């Protein structure tokens, strides 16, 4: 995939009422603040984030810094895609990329009193994570008010097309049953369930190349 791509979506309507294309490109360092803000806004009410950070006010304080750390870390291998207007973002982890222990330590520090919950969440996810090389969709987000316009699909499409071309699988964990349906439309299938103690579940999903 090149530095930018026009992928069909429905980011709005043109003069004749036709869908406008969603412009998707690799994020740069200048995009970090907006991408982090988009992730924080989209995941503020996410059931997994609510389990990790039960107090809503503290969650709103912790998430922006946490996503700053994640975005900065994943910029190094080009795994961040965003839209020109910054209302959508995807964090892809290519095969062969090892865990950034320094970033993980910073993430734990940013979680403050909720660090044990975050560690437990990552342990549950790691235990279910497949060993076969794959593209990992770690995070996919669209800002509230911009959802259901094809932005999420546009952020997946370039990488999934590359997966099909290269014969590479893809993997993700859906945080809600509603999201499961979106990913199924793109060829993912549910492979199990990751229940959180006295909390919600994640649905691990796998996609074979077409």
């Amino acid at each position: 995939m090149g530095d930018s791509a026009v992928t069909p979506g429905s980011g709005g309507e043109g003069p004749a009422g036709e869908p406008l294309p969603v412009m998707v490109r690799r994020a740069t360092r200048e995009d970090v603040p907006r991408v982090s803000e988009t992730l924080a806004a989209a995941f503020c009410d996410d059931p997994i984030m609510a389990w990790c950070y039960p107090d809503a006010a503290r969650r709103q304080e912790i998430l922006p810094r946490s996503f700053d750390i994640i975005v900065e870390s994943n910029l190094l291998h080009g795994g961040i895609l965003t839209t020109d207007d910054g209302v959508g973002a995807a964090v892809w982890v290519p095969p062969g990329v090892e865990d950034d222990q320094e970033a993980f330590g910073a993430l734990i520090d940013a979680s403050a009193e909720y660090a044990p919950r975050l560690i437990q969440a990552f342990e549950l996810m790691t235990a279910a994570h497949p060993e076969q090389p794959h593209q990992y969709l770690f995070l996919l987000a669209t800002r509230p008010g911009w959802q259901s316009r094809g932005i999420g699909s546009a952020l997946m499409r370039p990488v999934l097309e590359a997966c099909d071309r290269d014969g590479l699988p893809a993997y993700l964990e859906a945080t809600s049953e509603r999201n499961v349906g979106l990913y199924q439309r793109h060829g993912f299938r549910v492979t199990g369930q990751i229940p959180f103690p006295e909390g919600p579940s994640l649905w691990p999903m796998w996609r074979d190349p077409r």
Side-chain angles (χ1 to χ4, degrees), residues 1 92 95 133-135 153 156-171 183 185-188 206-210:
M1 185 179 63
W92 286 95
H134 59 274
Q135 278 277 3
S153 294
M156 285 190 282
R157 191 169 293 116
V159 176
L160 295 182
E161 288 177 350
C163 285
D164 292 340
R165 184 177 63 247
D166 300 336
L168 190 66
Y171 174 77
Y183 298 128
R185 292 196 293 274
H186 290 272
F188 287 89
W206 183 260
R207 181 186 186 274
D208 290 312
R210 294 173 173 172

Side-chain angles (χ1 to χ4, degrees), residues 16-17 21-22 27 31 35 43 46 75 78 92 100 105 115 138 188:
V22 178
D31 294 311
V35 168
F43 279 97
D46 178 82
L75 273 178
W92 286 95
D100 187 336
F138 180 35
F188 287 89

Side-chain angles (χ1 to χ4, degrees), residues 4-30:
S4 64
V6 179
T7 56
S10 52
E13 290 188 351
E18 73 279 5
L20 293 174
V22 178
M23 306 295 292
V24 173
R25 59 177 173 80
R26 292 189 188 277
T28 67
R29 192 159 298 281
E30 289 70 29

Side-chain angles (χ1 to χ4, degrees), residues 32-33 36-37 39 63-73:
V32 170
S36 299
E37 289 170 5
L39 290 166
L63 286 184
R65 172 57 184 152
S66 297
F67 285 123
D68 268 342
I69 294 166
I70 291 171
V71 172
E72 288 275 4
S73 174

Side-chain angles (χ1 to χ4, degrees), residues 187-204:
F188 287 89
R189 56 182 172 81
V190 174
T191 58
Q193 193 170 351
I194 306 172
F196 279 50
E198 299 181 359
S201 291
L202 284 172
W203 286 266

Side-chain angles (χ1 to χ4, degrees), residues 3-148:
D3 288 339
S4 64
V6 179
T7 56
S10 52
E13 290 188 351
E18 73 279 5
L20 293 174
V22 178
M23 306 295 292
V24 173
R25 59 177 173 80
R26 292 189 188 277
T28 67
R29 192 159 298 281
E30 289 70 29
D31 294 311
V32 170
R34 177 163 292 209
V35 168
S36 299
E37 289 170 5
T38 290
L39 290 166
F43 279 97
C44 189
D45 295 324
D46 178 82
I48 297 298
M49 291 298 170
W51 183 89
C52 290
Y53 313 109
D55 183 88
R58 286 291 288 135
R59 186 161 66 247
Q60 290 178 340
E61 294 172 355
I62 291 170
L63 286 184
R65 172 57 184 152
S66 297
F67 285 123
D68 268 342
I69 294 166
I70 291 171
V71 172
E72 288 275 4
S73 174
N74 284 278
L75 273 178
L76 300 176
H77 54 69
I80 309 289
L81 296 182
T82 189
T83 57
D84 271 354
D85 51 14
V87 298
V91 179
W92 286 95
V93 182
V97 173
E98 296 185 1
D99 293 339
D100 187 336
Q101 295 302 319
E102 183 176 348
F104 183 69
L107 196 59
I108 295 305
D109 288 343
S111 297
E113 70 271 26
Y114 296 123
R117 281 180 171 258
L118 188 65
I119 291 171
Q120 188 174 15
F122 274 108
E123 287 176 344
L124 290 167
M125 293 165 63
T126 299
H129 204 100
E131 295 184 4
Q132 181 181 346
H134 59 274
Q135 278 277 3
Y136 175 35
L137 181 53
F138 180 35
L139 297 168
L140 179 68
T142 303
R143 282 183 182 254
W146 289 85
Q147 296 168 1
S148 301

